[in-house]
């Protein structure tokens, strides 16, 4: 199947060609035809499945076909709510990429920065708004955003909205949207509370489910190093000194740990940066851009900070610490091996972390191969 088979319009087909996409991913194949018919959708899919394009492409196509007003300001017709700033920025970039040959206007708002520029952008008129819940609610309360002309609403990563305590804000926003609209609801998992929310806001939805969490691990080659805590740093540096590791995300449990490990890596003469919640939005963005452009090879991140990181050519993920929640392991390694590419995930496990490894093996229903590290040993990866 090609994108042409999905009846996409020429401006979008050309943009996808520029992006280098040849085949739609499973969620795109399933969701795009449904969405082009303006039906509601319940999508059970996580990041890395091509879900952003699955909703962005039909939204762009429908709005483009509906046309833009030639007089007066544009009104927001599509809203995408997403839990983190990083995700919001990335979704906005996706709309730029796929919509580059349309004359639709889109913009992004998120908290933690001054609102002035965001408000100016909205005043000039947008067709599509991408937002995090807190900032949107804030601007709605100040009467700086009006959603009365909205016809499409996307709730992205609903389960994370719940985890991050945003569900109240989300519900408040939804209560202010026009009732006649197309609603798209995405969540990687469907705990009862999320299912209930979906039931209340979707009308007769089509259901699309792709890659349950545990099977995303199949495209990623995995290895665990049994290593004493005191030897982790040495093992990491030894691994990073190899040219095979082109771009790597190193996960740590704590912000403090991320900074410390980053300093160790830099000291060893390797270009690296750290990204976590204590850093300013600007510092995080510049670390991320440097990484995407290949100026730095190593990005050290905590789980929360890494949530939105979307880098196509990530060759390796290294778990410096094993996460105590096994699903987190699956989310972490899902950062590599995306969209069909192969990836390698290496994890360090010290004696205190062996119970975590057991939980992970149980979740992914296989035993990850292990090697016991000894200082200066020859490394396979
Ligand atoms: P997402 O799940 O939206 O975060 O997308 C995961 C990654 O896959 C992003 O880096 C996209 O640029 C990429 N991607 C999305 N759709 C396709 C496609 N049809 N072919 C190749 N790459 C894609």
């Amino acid at each position: 199947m090609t994108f042409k088979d999905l009846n996409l319009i020429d401006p979008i087909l050309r943009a996808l060609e520029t992006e280098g996409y040849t085949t739609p991913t499973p969620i795109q194949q399933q969701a795009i035809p449904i969405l082009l018919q303006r039906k509601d959708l319940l999508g059970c899919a996580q990041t890395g499945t091509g879900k952003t394009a699955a909703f962005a492409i039909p939204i762009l196509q429908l709005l483009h076909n509906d046309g833009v007003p030639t007089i007066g300001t544009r009104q927001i017709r599509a809203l995408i709510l997403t839990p983190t700033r990083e995700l919001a920025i990335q979704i906005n970039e996706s709309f730029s990429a796929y919509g580059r040959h349309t004359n639709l206007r889109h913009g992004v708002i998120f908290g933690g920065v001054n609102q002035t520029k965001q408000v100016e952008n909205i005043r000039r008129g947008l067709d599509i708004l991408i937002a995090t819940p807190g900032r949107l609610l804030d601007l709605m309360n100040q009467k700086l955003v009006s959603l009365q002309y909205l016809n499409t609403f996307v709730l992205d990563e609903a389960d994370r909205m719940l985890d991050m305590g945003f569900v109240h804000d989300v519900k408040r926003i939804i209560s202010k949207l026009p009732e006649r609209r197309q609603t798209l609801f995405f969540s990687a998992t469907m705990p009862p509370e999320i299912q209930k929310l979906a039931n209340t806001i979707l009308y007769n939805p089509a259901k699309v489910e792709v890659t349950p969490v545990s099977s995303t691990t199949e495209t990623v080659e995995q290895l665990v190093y049994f290593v004493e805590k005191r030897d982790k740093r040495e093992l990491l540096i030894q691994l990073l000194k190899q040219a095979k590791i082109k771009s790597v995300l190193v996960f740590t449990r704590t912000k403090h740990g991320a900074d410390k490990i980053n300093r160790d890596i830099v000291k060893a003469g390797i270009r690296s940066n750290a990204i976590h919640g204590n850093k300013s939005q600007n510092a995080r963005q510049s670390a991320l851009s440097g990484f995407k452009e290949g100026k730095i090879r190593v990005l050290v991140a905590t789980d929360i900070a890494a949530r939105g990181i979307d880098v196509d050519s990530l060759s390796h993920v290294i778990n410096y610490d094993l996460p105590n929640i096994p699903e987190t392991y699956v989310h972490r390694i899902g950062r590599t091996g995306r969209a069909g590419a192969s990836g390698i995930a290496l994890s360090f496990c010290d004696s205190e972390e062996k119970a975590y490894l057991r939980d992970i093996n149980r979740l992914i229903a296989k035993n990850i191969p292990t090697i016991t590290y000894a200082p200066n040993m020859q490394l396979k990866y």
Side-chain angles (χ1 to χ4, degrees):
M1 182 186 273
T2 65
F3 282 104
K4 225 176 180 160
D5 300 325
L6 293 172
N7 291 324
L8 300 185
I9 52 176
D10 184 63
I12 292 178
L13 287 175
R14 280 190 284 138
L16 295 177
E17 202 174 305
T18 310
E19 288 302 298
Y21 297 0
T22 50
T23 339
T25 65
I27 191 163
Q28 292 161 6
Q29 293 185 18
Q30 295 174 58
I32 291 174
I34 294 165
L35 295 175
L36 287 176
Q37 291 175 45
R38 300 189 194 262
K39 286 190 183 150
D40 281 7
L41 179 87
L42 178 61
C44 204
Q46 63 182 84
T47 305
T49 54
K51 126 181 104 93
T52 314
F55 66 75
I57 291 169
I59 288 176
L60 286 162
Q61 176 146 333
L62 291 173
L63 293 181
H64 177 86
N65 287 348
D66 289 346
V68 293
T70 45
I71 47 167
T73 27
R74 293 169 186 232
Q75 303 289 350
I76 296 166
R77 289 178 287 161
L79 168 69
I80 293 95
L81 262 193
T82 192
T84 69
R85 300 183 275 201
E86 284 80 8
L87 280 168
I89 290 168
Q90 269 155 25
I91 294 170
N92 193 48
E93 284 169 359
S94 297
F95 274 96
S96 302
Y98 314 141
R100 57 159 63 87
H101 301 301
T102 67
N103 69 347
L104 296 166
R105 297 203 41 199
H106 57 91
V108 60
I109 62 174
F110 45 80
V113 292
N114 186 290
Q115 71 178 46
T116 313
K117 278 197 188 138
Q118 298 177 358
V119 172
E120 273 170 25
N121 198 21
I122 291 168
R123 278 225 180 90
R124 282 195 293 268
L126 298 175
D127 302 291
I128 301 155
L129 179 68
I130 298 115
T132 54
R135 175 55 57 97
L136 175 61
L137 202 58
D138 193 6
L139 297 189
M140 284 167 81
N141 289 338
Q142 295 177 62
K143 305 250 177 297
L144 296 169
V145 174
S146 160
L147 298 172
Q148 70 182 112
Y149 294 94
L150 195 85
N151 59 33
T152 312
F153 170 56
V154 182
L155 184 60
D156 185 36
E157 310 239 342
D159 51 354
R160 287 202 181 150
M161 294 278 195
L162 184 74
D163 290 347
M164 295 173 81
F166 293 154
V167 159
H168 246 60
D169 284 355
V170 169
K171 286 184 178 162
R172 221 168 295 155
I173 292 166
I174 294 172
S175 73
K176 294 181 181 159
L177 303 181
E179 286 202 8
R180 271 181 68 92
R181 54 161 202 260
Q182 183 182 20
T183 304
L184 288 58
F185 190 106
F186 289 95
S187 196
T189 57
M190 286 286 166
E193 196 169 348
I194 289 301
Q195 188 65 53
K196 214 165 99 196
L197 180 65
N199 292 344
T200 57
I201 66 169
L202 293 167
Y203 171 74
N204 199 10
K207 201 172 171 205
V208 167
E209 195 169 347
V210 294
T211 356
V213 160
S214 53
S215 68
T216 57
T217 55
E218 280 161 21
T219 50
V220 180
E221 200 176 328
Q222 301 163 69
L223 182 70
V224 167
Y225 284 100
F226 285 133
V227 50
E228 285 313 315
K229 200 177 240 127
R230 59 168 188 276
D231 293 330
K232 280 190 175 183
R233 180 173 46 174
E234 188 183 317
L235 171 58
L236 178 70
I237 302 295
Q238 212 182 321
L239 284 167
L240 294 178
K241 283 196 168 154
Q242 306 184 84
K244 269 182 284 187
I245 301 193
K246 293 208 167 49
S247 61
V248 55
L249 201 51
V250 178
F251 281 98
T252 63
R253 246 186 324 248
T254 65
K255 297 170 192 171
H256 175 73
D259 277 331
K260 191 173 166 304
I261 291 160
N262 180 51
R263 278 197 303 272
D264 290 340
I265 300 171
V266 171
K267 225 183 277 167
I270 298 163
R271 283 166 303 141
S272 169
N273 212 329
I275 173 169
H276 57 66
N278 282 0
K279 296 215 158 186
S280 71
Q281 179 65 6
N282 276 349
R284 289 207 262 174
Q285 263 325 105
S286 84
L288 202 50
S289 317
F291 188 60
K292 281 188 175 181
E293 288 159 17
K295 288 189 194 137
I296 53 169
R297 268 173 67 213
V298 186
L299 201 57
V300 188
T302 54
D303 290 300
I304 299 236
R307 271 182 182 168
I309 295 176
D310 173 16
V311 183
D312 285 335
S313 55
L314 199 60
S315 68
H316 289 68
V317 163
I318 294 179
N319 295 309
Y320 193 89
D321 305 310
L322 275 185
N324 53 354
I325 300 168
E327 282 83 2
T328 303
Y329 173 84
V330 178
H331 283 303
R332 286 181 178 185
I333 72 162
R335 301 285 159 198
T336 181
R338 284 189 160 196
S342 62
I344 294 175
L346 307 174
S347 304
F348 299 178
C349 176
D350 63 35
S351 43
E352 288 166 22
E353 293 172 308
K354 287 195 172 157
Y356 301 155
L357 179 61
R358 259 198 311 276
D359 291 343
I360 292 166
N361 283 336
R362 198 173 304 143
L363 176 73
I364 65 172
K366 68 175 172 196
N367 287 331
I368 306 169
T370 60
I371 291 182
T372 301
Y373 175 75
N376 299 318
M377 77 185 275
Q378 190 73 28
L379 299 176
K380 185 177 165 208
Y381 289 97

